[in-house]
Amino acid sequence: MTAWGRVLVADEVSIGSPTRVVQLRREARGCLSYLLVSGGEALAVDPAPGIEPYVEEATARSARITRVFDTHVHADHISGARSLADATGARLHLSSGAIA
């Protein structure tokens, strides 16, 4: 069951724009995160702890993750924002509640 909790399913979402949006669903938890890709750069929003899928999705779209956003403190799971920012050298953006 531990492995099931780490499964992320990625689907590209059409928004009628050159910016590509990839929704990553953590099926076991019902959590959503996103990767937005444009001009060779990507930003991750609310990444789960298993950061490999974000790096793989960005690489598949010829992009480098340059920013990571954590929109709120997650009471239901651990965030992967700091790990992803550290691994990619991306700038980390946190909500005021997560900075303390």
Side-chain angles (χ1 to χ4, degrees), residues 3-93:
W4 174 241
R6 295 185 182 135
V7 171
L8 285 172
V9 177
D11 286 308
E12 193 161 324
V13 178
S14 175
I15 61 169
S17 163
T19 300
R20 300 174 84 177
V21 177
V22 180
Q23 182 185 68
L24 293 106
R25 292 184 312 279
R26 193 167 173 199
E27 297 286 346
R29 302 248 185 210
C31 300
L32 299 174
S33 55
Y34 297 89
L35 190 69
L36 288 81
V37 181
S38 181
E41 293 186 3
L43 69 89
V45 179
D46 293 334
I51 63 170
E52 295 82 11
Y54 301 93
V55 175
E56 291 169 3
E57 291 293 332
T59 301
R61 290 162 175 77
S62 301
R64 186 174 68 85
I65 297 173
T66 58
R67 295 180 184 265
V68 179
F69 288 77
D70 216 356
T71 62
H72 61 287
V73 175
H74 303 276
D76 59 341
H77 68 274
I78 297 170
S79 169
R82 283 190 170 94
S83 296
L84 184 57
D86 288 346
T88 61
R91 184 170 176 197
L92 178 61
H93 301 268

